[in-house]
Amino acid sequence: MEKFDVLIIGGGITGLASAWWLARGGLSVAVWEAGERPGGKIQSTRQQGYLTERAASMVLNFRPEVSELMHEAGLEAAKTRRRAEAEAQRYLLHGQGLKALPMKLGGMIGSPLWSLRGKLRLLAEPFIFSSGRPGESVSEFITRRLGREVLDKAVEPFVAGTLAADPDQTCAAAALPRLTALEQRYGSLAAGVLVNRVLRRRTACSTEVFSFQNGMGTLVDRLAAGPGVRLCTGHAVTELRAQGEGWRVRANTPQGERSAYARQLILATPAPAAAKLLAELDPELSTMLQQIRYASVALVHLGFSRQAVAHPLNGTGFLAPKAESPVLTGNLWASTLFPERAPPGKVLLTSYLGGARAPFAADWDDARLVEETLQTLRPLLGLKADPDMVRVDRQREALPLYHGAYQRRMQSIAARLKEIPGLHLEASYREGVSVRDRLLRGHVVAKHILASQPWPESAPGRPASCAGAAEMMVG
Ligand SMILES: Cc1cc2nc3c(=O)[nH]c(=O)nc-3n(C[C@H](O)[C@H](O)[C@H](O)COP(=O)(O)OP(=O)(O)OC[C@H]3O[C@@H](n4cnc5c(N)ncnc54)[C@H](O)[C@@H]3O)c2cc1C
């Protein structure tokens, strides 16, 4: 039976990032991925000269560990940065038109988005001394600090558009960790922003928004081909068993059943798949994982001739509040963001439909999804012709919902894992869904594993070039 220091189940961005960091640390690492290609949800597709994404379109990074990975994996030259034009504006659907979302406090106060009462409530934020209950929802937190108007017009669309979630049910500390931390630390969001602005000049790592010239698939391919990363696709893991000081893993592959032994195991699958694999080993942990709900999302990519769209498309795109758009949560102006997304003279608009707001949308057929999208976009963007490219993608387990007693569940999962040495659960249902968070968590789990035992045979800390040849076994 083959032996590895670490076996990773699931070759999405979490599994691949963990593998990359572990292999760099000198361990023998295998990634077993059920699908035919690595990347999980992330997939870049070229169609009629347009470059579309099935999940993440960009990375918003402010973490030095992620910058280090980009640099060391040789990804800097492949990056494409957000264009200044896209950086300048973000829009909100308001009163059946698009209104620019102010980025600065002064602009917030002057914005036509808020009523006079809403503005006064915003100005009162530094003087709100109440603190929230543990496990407070996003709606409770925002209403308490900034008022109901900010929740309904700006935060609800943000939570629905970026997390596919419902703010009434979403745990504030999990979904808005930076905002809730500001309150905890400084007693007020405005005071926290001010203090951070002063300190940032000296301390913080700058924020960068980027993708890759050939799409997010570049990141997946580069990590999968990292030195020492043994990726096997078409390996659907069916069984885990504790054996000696490690784990015996069994998978179905196109060549038949395959088994391997690993000293440590990372389960980097969505929660339902992890729950299934752990059902026998630890029913309690399995039940906790089963309770994590996911939102489904449909993506409608439309390509137009530039002249067919009256709006200047001078921004990132727009987010839509539930009250104004019951199914479509947001629209990304992909070709404004990054230059290589549409052929010359064309534009690419990607819309997101469904999520917790409209869970039924992913079951609609393509024609209905496209019609709903066009009906919403036509008056807002001044569409004067039909699209010349249409593509629909569906993600059934798109994003884990940080709903309900999320924090308590995560604490219980962490406590349970302490009792099972050598088993790690790392995926988007823990510690953030963004690609930045996933890359960072890969770093954290790898560091933890490298420090956890002497690793006599493979000498952790060796440079990556000594870690063995890259192997890609495509089933
Ligand atoms: C529509 C959408 C838009 C998004 N936009 C952004 C964005 O712009 N920026 C951003 O930062 N993030 C974005 N995200 C979030 C980000 O893309 C995801 O959170 C991230 O890709 C999840 O990666 P993962 O590796 O944790 O999970 P996955 O990608 O789900 O990977 C898990 C893998 O496990 C495999 N697997 C499951 N069961 C088994 C088994 N039994 N054996 C072996 N393998 C198994 C699956 O096949 C899969 O490949 C977006 C997500 C969606 C859905």
Side-chain angles (χ1 to χ4, degrees):
M1 187 165 49
E2 284 171 291
K3 289 189 177 161
F4 303 105
D5 291 329
V6 185
L7 180 63
I8 299 171
I9 303 172
I13 199 68
T14 306
L16 294 173
S18 309
W20 190 89
W21 291 109
L22 284 164
R24 183 166 170 268
L27 300 194
S28 67
V29 188
V31 180
W32 284 10
E33 162 57 42
E36 288 172 6
R37 52 158 197 90
K41 293 180 178 66
I42 295 177
Q43 188 177 15
S44 311
T45 307
R46 282 201 187 274
Q47 182 172 324
Q48 295 164 248
Y50 293 89
L51 180 60
T52 65
E53 301 285 359
R54 276 193 96 223
S57 303
M58 67 194 104
V59 184
L60 189 157
N61 183 41
F62 47 81
R63 296 294 310 210
E65 298 87 342
V66 173
S67 304
E68 186 190 337
L69 184 148
M70 293 301 139
H71 190 72
E72 302 237 339
L75 279 158
E76 284 297 331
K79 264 185 185 174
T80 181
R81 287 176 180 80
R82 178 175 61 177
R83 293 203 282 209
E85 205 184 342
E87 206 170 333
Q89 294 286 21
R90 265 153 252 194
Y91 287 91
L92 278 174
L93 173 53
H94 175 71
Q96 294 169 359
L98 296 186
K99 298 272 181 313
L101 178 67
M103 299 296 166
K104 302 220 163 100
L105 194 64
M108 283 285 273
I109 301 303
S111 168
L113 276 167
W114 328 112
S115 65
L116 179 61
R117 202 180 155 160
K119 287 176 187 174
L120 292 173
R121 182 64 183 76
L122 258 175
L123 286 169
E125 195 278 331
F127 309 104
I128 306 279
F129 297 111
S130 68
S131 57
R133 64 171 181 87
E136 187 177 33
S137 74
V138 167
S139 295
E140 288 168 324
F141 173 72
I142 295 295
T143 309
R144 184 168 58 75
R145 294 243 53 102
L146 300 165
R148 183 81 210 181
E149 230 179 290
V150 172
L151 171 71
D152 291 341
K153 293 178 181 171
V155 177
E156 186 279 330
F158 172 77
V159 171
T162 59
L163 296 172
D166 173 356
D168 289 348
Q169 297 185 58
T170 302
C171 169
L176 308 174
R178 293 212 276 174
L179 277 190
T180 51
L182 283 183
E183 184 193 41
Q184 268 185 7
R185 199 148 173 213
Y186 303 103
S188 140
L189 309 187
V193 169
L194 205 69
V195 172
N196 277 350
R197 193 164 295 161
V198 174
L199 291 183
R200 185 171 298 156
R201 284 192 204 120
R202 272 175 282 150
T203 55
C205 168
S206 61
T207 300
E208 186 190 15
V209 177
F210 62 88
S211 180
F212 301 90
Q213 285 131 35
N214 290 315
M216 294 293 292
T218 301
L219 173 61
V220 166
D221 294 343
R222 190 60 63 89
L223 295 181
V229 176
R230 296 157 67 91
L231 168 72
C232 299
T233 54
H235 279 50
V237 173
T238 52
E239 195 184 308
L240 320 174
R241 262 179 210 286
Q243 184 175 307
E245 296 204 335
W247 299 89
R248 187 195 158 110
V249 179
R250 213 185 285 252
N252 284 333
T253 81
Q255 290 78 34
E257 199 169 82
R258 186 174 175 191
S259 293
Y261 173 85
R263 305 229 342 243
Q264 300 217 16
L265 205 59
I266 302 177
L267 256 173
T269 70
K276 210 165 152 193
L277 288 172
L278 292 170
E280 263 188 46
L281 184 86
D282 194 317
E284 197 186 324
L285 183 55
S286 172
T287 304
M288 290 186 236
L289 290 164
Q290 269 168 23
Q291 287 164 351
I292 297 171
R293 296 279 165 258
Y294 278 73
S296 57
V297 174
L299 294 90
V300 177
H301 311 278
L302 301 175
F304 290 93
S305 143
R306 183 65 195 89
Q307 288 88 339
V309 184
H311 195 282
L313 301 178
N314 53 345
T316 304
F318 70 86
L319 292 169
K322 177 165 66 176
E324 305 223 18
S325 172
V327 179
L328 187 146
T329 56
N331 179 243
L332 191 75
W333 301 339
S335 50
T336 307
L337 265 165
F338 302 115
E340 308 84 358
R341 271 36 184 177
K346 310 271 186 182
V347 293
L348 175 63
L349 311 175
T350 293
S351 300
Y352 302 88
L353 294 88
R357 181 187 290 182
F360 47 83
D363 295 327
W364 285 0
D365 63 21
D366 288 8
R368 189 161 177 200
L369 285 166
V370 172
E371 191 43 44
E372 171 76 23
T373 305
L374 284 170
Q375 263 182 27
T376 310
L377 297 190
R378 226 174 253 129
L380 297 173
L381 302 181
L383 301 183
K384 294 181 266 183
D386 289 336
D388 62 22
M389 189 280 299
V390 174
R391 179 183 170 85
V392 175
D393 289 314
R394 285 178 189 74
Q395 295 272 13
R396 298 281 168 190
E397 274 172 10
L399 290 154
L401 294 168
Y402 289 11
H403 279 183
Y406 171 80
Q407 275 190 313
R408 212 163 346 111
R409 191 174 301 128
M410 288 305 123
Q411 282 160 3
S412 307
I413 288 175
R416 199 71 216 113
L417 280 172
K418 280 207 174 119
E419 307 296 315
I420 317 175
L423 177 70
H424 310 270
L425 297 184
E426 225 16 279
S428 57
Y429 58 86
R430 294 185 84 195
E431 309 282 348
V433 302
S434 71
V435 171
R436 175 198 64 243
D437 290 336
R438 299 293 86 230
L439 297 173
L440 179 65
R441 289 302 303 171
H443 179 259
V444 171
V445 73
K447 212 168 140 191
H448 178 74
I449 289 174
L450 284 162
S452 67
Q453 53 190 87
W455 298 109
E457 288 146 38
S458 34
R462 278 188 308 171
S465 56
C466 308
E471 178 191 312
M472 174 99 110
M473 190 178 132
V474 180

